[in-house]
Amino acid sequence: MSELNKIVLKIISNGKGILAADESNGTMTKRLEAVNVKSTAENRLSFREILFSSDGMRDCIGGVILFDETINQISSSGKSIPDLISSSGVVPGIKVDTGAKDLANSPKEKITEGLDGLRDRLKKYYDLGARFTKWRGVYSIGEKYPSDLAISSNAHALARYSALAQESGMVPIVEPEVLMDGTHSAEICLSKTSEVIKRCFEELILHKVDLSGIILKPNMILAGNQSKDKISNEEVSVKTLECLKNSVPNEVPGIAFLSGGQSEIEATENLNLINKNNNTNFIMTYSYGRALQQNALKVWSNDIENVVATQTTFNHRAKMCTLAAQGKWSSELENK
Ligand code: 13P
């Protein structure tokens, strides 16, 4: 077993999942202002440190994705943030892309940037304690989208990033996110997501990426958020499994879904059904941002000194997601 494969399994085995706490300062500011908390470096750290030192962290989370600001911060106990995370047996990770920018010659689409100087940045993050990384490519669905140009340029960037991350001794999370915004059907989401993922793997193979040392982070197959033809959670799980079975090579050990704007319960229920119906060899778990933190953030914003209430809320959500990652969740457990 390679070192990279060992890191993957440490992060996602036994129902453990990933806490995506890598919101950029811009995104975190939106999240904090939505609950009337001022977005200062101190407040951003304070909320995150409460989650990082919770029981849910130790019991349910295998890896945390950090943003550059956070990986360089010192916790109130004096430990660095990566040390605080590792002390719970959790693997620290880092988002290394520098964001999605307008794609030249297709300005309604995005290309993710951050390859320049990446080898040096990866070395710095490894020295700070990171053992896995994340890069997100983002695609919209529309009449002409995603275009071949967006599909191929983002796949190329994801593959170059992945090769560099593995060269630095870190596991790349490969995240091609097909957005749920729009009026499209789930069938269209299935065909577009399958095309995007297949192209990513063609590039990863071309760039000689060790597929046993990556984690794929895809969207689930959903109808667009403005579609009139919503599908059931059961159908979401069936279509998501169909997509992954047909597009992901067998060597990939695990898949960790993003929540992408689903509610906490919806993201939990869908993951549970995916695991109940899982007819693949892939580990299927979560790498949620909003679907793990939304309620905890609301509770914290009511009283930012109330660590216990914030952690209780987060612990519950993390426990529900970890049960779902084993197909053992049920709605009755939500109210216990
Ligand atoms: P959400 O689960 O909120 O979609 O965030 C996951 C993530 O890391 C997006 O890049």
Side-chain angles (χ1 to χ4, degrees), residues 62-325:
V64 180
I65 318 173
L66 300 168
F67 181 59
D68 179 73
E69 175 182 80
T70 323
I71 201 171
N72 286 292
Q73 281 172 320
I74 302 294
S75 68
S76 52
S77 66
K79 278 185 188 162
S80 73
I81 290 297
D83 282 354
L84 175 72
I85 290 168
S86 306
S87 68
S88 297
V90 181
V91 183
I94 179 78
K95 184 226 303 280
V96 299
D97 68 63
T98 55
K101 309 285 158 55
D102 288 347
L103 176 61
N105 292 330
S106 191
K108 287 194 173 151
E109 297 190 285
K110 300 284 179 196
I111 177 70
T112 301
E113 295 189 346
L115 289 170
D116 288 352
L118 181 57
R119 184 179 266 128
D120 295 337
R121 288 194 293 125
L122 288 166
K123 186 177 176 331
K124 192 188 87 185
Y125 290 135
Y126 185 96
D127 291 342
L128 285 167
R131 289 297 176 269
F132 76 104
T133 57
K134 172 185 130 175
W135 181 289
R136 170 175 174 261
V138 59
Y139 313 79
S140 331
I141 295 184
E143 213 180 307
K144 290 183 273 175
Y145 307 122
S147 66
D148 209 37
L149 178 60
I151 294 174
S152 89
S153 50
N154 277 295
H156 174 86
L158 276 161
R160 284 188 56 200
Y161 138 77
S162 298
L164 283 166
Q166 290 192 335
E167 181 192 274
S168 318
M170 293 189 278
V171 166
I173 291 192
V174 176
E175 181 179 8
E177 176 175 8
V178 179
L179 295 170
M180 63 151 83
D181 304 323
T183 54
H184 54 270
S185 65
E187 269 311 311
I188 296 285
C189 178
L190 172 62
S191 73
K192 299 297 179 191
T193 303
S194 302
E195 190 182 348
V196 161
I197 293 177
K198 280 182 189 158
R199 286 286 277 281
C200 284
F201 280 105
E202 281 169 24
E203 286 288 332
L204 289 167
I205 291 165
L206 182 67
H207 287 255
K208 302 185 169 48
V209 171
D210 169 9
L211 298 185
S212 74
I214 72 160
I215 298 170
L216 178 69
K217 176 164 173 167
N219 50 284
M220 294 178 191
I221 303 302
L222 306 167
N225 56 6
Q226 292 159 55
S227 165
K228 289 189 203 82
D229 304 311
K230 288 277 178 319
I231 58 169
S232 67
N233 299 104
E234 181 68 24
E235 285 172 293
V236 169
S237 74
V238 169
K239 284 195 190 328
T240 301
L241 286 163
E242 181 187 335
C243 170
L244 297 170
K245 216 172 160 175
N246 294 330
S247 339
V248 183
N250 283 330
E251 301 94 295
V252 174
I255 293 171
F257 294 97
L258 58 95
S259 59
Q262 297 180 74
S263 71
E264 293 190 345
I265 302 287
E266 202 182 350
T268 309
E269 181 160 5
N270 285 335
L271 179 64
N272 189 57
L273 288 168
I274 288 169
N275 276 289
K276 278 197 154 170
N277 296 330
N278 189 1
N279 52 358
T280 72
N281 291 324
F282 307 125
I283 295 172
M284 301 279 195
T285 189
Y286 57 93
S287 176
Y288 293 164
R290 284 162 286 180
L292 272 174
Q293 301 179 82
Q294 222 156 24
N295 279 341
L297 184 62
K298 260 189 226 144
V299 169
W300 177 72
S301 70
N302 289 335
D303 176 4
I304 63 172
E305 302 298 325
N306 198 340
V307 174
V308 173
T310 308
Q311 288 185 334
T312 304
T313 306
F314 176 73
N315 292 344
H316 172 75
R317 197 72 252 137
K319 191 171 164 198
M320 294 299 110
C321 287
T322 278
L323 286 170

